[in-house]
Amino acid sequence: MLPNIFHNGRQLSRIFQCTLQMYRQRSLTTGVNEIPLSKDHYNIKRGPFSVATDADIKHFESILPAGNQILLGLEETVGYNRDYFKYVRGLGAIVLKPRTSEEVSNIMRYCNNKRLAVSVFGGNTGVCGGSIPVFDEIILSMDLMNRVESIDKYSGILVCESGCVLGKLEEELAMEGMMMPLDLGAKNSCQIGGNVSTNAGGIRLLRYGSLHGSVLGLEVVLADGTIMDLMSNVKKDNTGYHLKHMFIGSEGTLGVITRVAIACPTATKTQNVLFLGLRDYSSVLRTFLECKACLGEILTSFELIDRDALECCIEHLRTSSPIGSYPFYVLIETTGSSKQHDAEKIRDYLEHVIGHGIVSDGVVTNEPSKITKLWQLRERIPEATYSNNFCLTFDLSLPLKNFYDIVPAMKDRVGHLVKLVCGFGHIGDSNIHLNIAGDELTPEIAELIDPFVYEFTRKLRGSISAEHGIGLLKPKYLKYSKSAESIDLMKQLKLVLDRNGILNPYKVLC
Ligand SMILES: Cc1cc2nc3c(=O)[nH]c(=O)nc-3n(C[C@H](O)[C@H](O)[C@H](O)COP(=O)(O)OP(=O)(O)OC[C@H]3O[C@@H](n4cnc5c(N)ncnc54)[C@H](O)[C@@H]3O)c2cc1C
């Protein structure tokens, strides 16, 4: 399970709804019943779906005859009706836990015939409320589909079921001298099916690319129960349209992913982390450029932290900064196969950037315990910002030249009304997390933020959701990143693959 890293010891005193529907004042210790029901909070009208009857439950029992595969009643299903971030709450009173693709197929065929809506549930670490029902959708949990089918160390290909937890896959691969091409803070809870469905990014994307590149094949069960065999055990395959891409990042709205074939790199043997202080944003860009030139083939991560984000994290962790105070910090990770080779490259790089006055200060380490400490200063920023009474988080892709402009622009608008406006994130992937936190989220503050952030992003042709997806929280903002024509085509595709709209209704498309 996820460590309770967001625990902040506070109870929510008041939940209120402001003009912005997606924002709600709450802390991550908020009790389940304090989370407003999504249907009310987001004012959603129930779709034309049937209500499950005793006869339907009997049928599910015949499809899933083994014990522990069905949970019934809101008390039993409570953990499946609220998301990790406590943004959403549903009323799904039936959880089904298939063990095989055939069981998934039988469930979907039946639900489609009966017009029963289905919500697909992975590790429930998603940030946009995609895995939680809104009304009484049947919850399809992938927990029990957790078998690793094969690891081919020669071709570097892992084949597994979609309910495998990412961290467990990493452990299995390590035994074969391999590793997953993606890594993220939620790895001990999120499932590979959830990762693929959200096209998760994380801290290795700079080196290994997105899941659109590393996923070689998928098995997907469509809404009508058809099992689509899109599996492939080869890296090169130019035979017709690559349908798998439709399902990567589709957030469970087009099909249920049941199996995954994924290309995995050989495990690296060396690891170094550099933590550098920089006097301005142009130095950040120059540091990145030089980093790619000098450390290119061993570079794994290039992360940005601004001063406010670091100070907030340091205070929260009750620790101190490894270097002096600067407007910007970058955390660089390299991984490779030769200690000496990497050390020489890093030394040359540091001599160059410090010698040219690009980098002002820094530390470098290859000791695992120190590496963990440095990474905490980046990875635990969200938790630190969430320790405020409210925290709004945006996950934007912006061109690097203007990457940081959103932070001062937001400070100008709301800086005097909130406690914190900070920017941090995967700058190596052009992905910034903008967090705004304070004591009370008033409508006045909310109106200064939305739609400003989205319009700002649209003007720069960025993405309003770089790696978290759209889910339930952001369908109305999709238009800021996608043209009317592409949204229309998405709707047509949805209709082709799920004629009755039973799969993850109310999500992604409004
Ligand atoms: C501490 C923390 C750190 C995080 N760091 C990152 C990060 O660095 N990068 C990043 O991209 N995300 C990050 N996330 C977000 C989250 O972990 C990812 O989105 C993850 O991929 C979700 O996987 P899951 O199994 O938890 O999916 P869930 O939350 O269960 O579901 C997410 C969506 O996928 C659908 N889905 C799940 N399984 C399937 C399936 N088998 N078939 C079809 N649809 C399915 C659901 O219906 C839902 O719409 C973080 C989250 C936390 C809590």
Side-chain angles (χ1 to χ4, degrees):
M1 288 306 288
L2 269 176
N4 188 15
I5 58 166
F6 289 109
H7 183 87
N8 61 18
R10 276 185 215 213
Q11 282 302 325
L12 181 73
S13 54
R14 189 161 71 97
I15 294 173
F16 85 104
Q17 189 171 341
C18 68
T19 49
L20 286 174
Q21 285 194 334
M22 66 173 284
Y23 305 138
R24 188 162 48 75
Q25 182 146 343
R26 59 93 183 87
S27 80
L28 285 155
T29 52
T30 301
V32 173
N33 291 329
E34 289 177 274
I35 308 169
L37 289 168
S38 303
K39 71 181 176 65
D40 301 330
H41 188 70
Y42 301 102
N43 195 17
I44 298 170
K45 194 167 161 275
R46 192 178 187 280
F49 306 114
S50 311
V51 174
T53 61
D54 286 349
D56 295 324
I57 292 170
K58 269 222 155 61
H59 191 81
F60 292 136
E61 283 166 352
S62 75
I63 297 175
L64 305 174
N68 300 332
Q69 285 189 271
I70 303 183
L71 302 178
L72 296 175
L74 285 173
E75 254 176 50
E76 287 276 298
T77 63
V78 65
Y80 297 82
N81 277 299
R82 51 121 190 91
D83 67 319
Y84 178 73
F85 292 91
K86 309 222 171 132
Y87 286 127
V88 297
R89 181 155 71 97
L91 290 169
I94 302 174
V95 175
L96 304 180
K97 298 186 176 196
R99 286 181 194 276
T100 63
S101 305
E102 288 67 33
E103 288 179 352
V104 175
S105 164
N106 289 336
I107 292 167
M108 290 312 304
R109 188 176 309 108
Y110 183 80
C111 289
N112 194 44
N113 289 339
K114 293 279 176 174
R115 305 289 191 273
L116 289 164
V118 175
S119 181
V120 191
F121 191 95
N124 195 22
T125 67
V127 184
C128 298
S131 56
I132 303 298
V134 176
F135 293 91
D136 54 349
E137 293 91 285
I138 310 286
I139 299 165
L140 189 68
S141 160
M142 304 309 288
D143 280 3
L144 301 183
M145 291 197 61
N146 57 7
R147 283 166 292 253
V148 172
E149 293 178 15
S150 63
I151 296 176
D152 179 346
K153 65 180 174 191
Y154 297 105
S155 56
I157 296 170
L158 161 77
V159 178
C160 65
E161 290 179 332
S162 64
C164 289
V165 170
L166 179 63
K168 285 260 181 281
L169 292 177
E170 185 75 38
E171 282 168 23
E172 297 257 352
L173 286 169
M175 290 192 271
E176 301 294 333
M178 291 160 63
M179 60 191 272
M180 288 300 283
L182 82 158
D183 185 17
L184 41 101
K187 70 171 164 218
N188 291 326
S189 295
C190 65
Q191 300 175 357
I192 189 67
N195 300 147
V196 173
S197 302
T198 55
N199 190 23
I203 56 176
R204 290 181 188 160
L205 190 134
L206 179 64
R207 172 86 161 257
Y208 300 110
S210 94
L211 287 171
H212 279 286
S214 38
V215 170
L216 301 176
L218 293 176
E219 181 186 83
V220 183
V221 177
L222 300 184
D224 67 0
T226 306
I227 301 179
M228 291 289 297
D229 181 358
L230 308 174
M231 291 297 275
S232 168
N233 284 357
V234 291
K235 290 185 180 165
K236 298 179 81 171
D237 171 26
N238 283 352
T239 51
Y241 306 144
H242 271 225
L243 300 175
K244 68 181 179 191
H245 291 296
M246 272 195 316
F247 300 95
I248 301 173
S250 67
E251 300 182 62
T253 58
L254 298 182
V256 182
I257 295 173
T258 44
R259 294 169 68 221
V260 178
I262 185 164
C264 299
T266 302
T268 51
K269 294 184 184 139
T270 62
Q271 188 182 19
N272 285 280
V273 167
L274 294 73
F275 194 87
L276 310 177
L278 304 151
R279 63 174 179 275
D280 52 33
Y281 183 67
S282 72
S283 302
V284 174
L285 287 186
R286 287 181 68 196
T287 306
F288 184 41
L289 212 55
E290 298 298 339
C291 188
K292 286 195 284 185
C294 299
L295 302 175
E297 77 279 15
I298 56 170
L299 177 62
T300 310
S301 309
F302 192 96
E303 302 282 314
L304 176 82
I305 305 167
D306 72 10
R307 177 156 35 206
D308 289 326
L310 187 74
E311 283 177 359
C312 173
C313 191
I314 279 172
E315 195 186 321
H316 179 72
L317 299 178
R318 295 185 187 173
T319 181
S320 56
S321 172
I323 58 177
S325 178
Y326 294 92
F328 296 98
Y329 305 87
V330 293
L331 186 155
I332 301 170
E333 180 175 282
T334 66
T335 51
S337 56
S338 158
K339 246 184 183 171
Q340 196 190 340
H341 166 270
D342 295 2
E344 276 172 20
K345 289 192 79 113
I346 290 168
R347 192 197 56 222
D348 291 349
Y349 170 66
L350 286 175
E351 273 177 15
H352 176 70
V353 285
I354 293 173
H356 283 78
I358 305 170
V359 167
S360 306
D361 193 3
V363 289
V364 55
T365 185
N366 60 9
E367 286 179 42
S369 63
K370 289 186 180 160
I371 287 177
T372 304
K373 278 192 176 157
L374 289 177
W375 262 114
Q376 289 209 342
L377 297 176
R378 160 62 187 90
E379 286 201 306
R380 295 186 69 180
I381 296 169
E383 162 196 349
T385 58
Y386 269 88
S387 65
N388 287 283
N389 258 353
F390 81 86
C391 180
L392 307 182
T393 183
F394 294 90
D395 165 41
L396 312 169
S397 273
L398 292 168
L400 282 187
K401 270 192 180 165
N402 307 94
F403 184 78
Y404 193 72
D405 294 353
I406 185 77
V407 180
M410 189 51 72
K411 278 186 179 163
D412 281 350
R413 293 174 72 83
V414 298
H416 57 295
L417 298 169
V418 300
K419 271 168 64 179
L420 178 73
V421 177
C422 68
F424 58 97
H426 316 295
I427 186 170
D429 312 324
S430 302
N431 176 193
I432 189 167
H433 298 308
L434 166 72
N435 280 17
I436 304 162
D439 286 332
E440 192 181 357
L441 177 60
T442 62
E444 181 197 358
I445 298 173
E447 275 161 19
L448 287 168
I449 295 170
D450 179 347
F452 174 78
V453 175
Y454 299 106
E455 280 169 357
F456 186 100
T457 307
R458 173 160 58 189
K459 265 188 216 140
L460 293 169
R461 294 192 68 84
S463 170
I464 58 121
S465 187
E467 60 176 8
H468 291 161
I470 296 295
L472 178 69
L473 302 184
K474 294 187 185 162
K476 71 174 185 168
Y477 302 109
L478 192 58
K479 63 176 186 229
Y480 289 94
S481 286
K482 290 282 177 285
S483 67
E485 294 76 16
S486 34
I487 294 176
D488 194 46
L489 186 55
M490 286 183 210
K491 286 182 178 166
Q492 289 178 47
L493 279 172
K494 168 78 178 165
L495 213 56
V496 169
L497 293 173
D498 178 13
R499 195 159 39 95
N500 300 317
I502 60 161
L503 257 178
N504 270 11
Y506 325 108
K507 319 279 170 64
V508 183
L509 298 165
C510 21

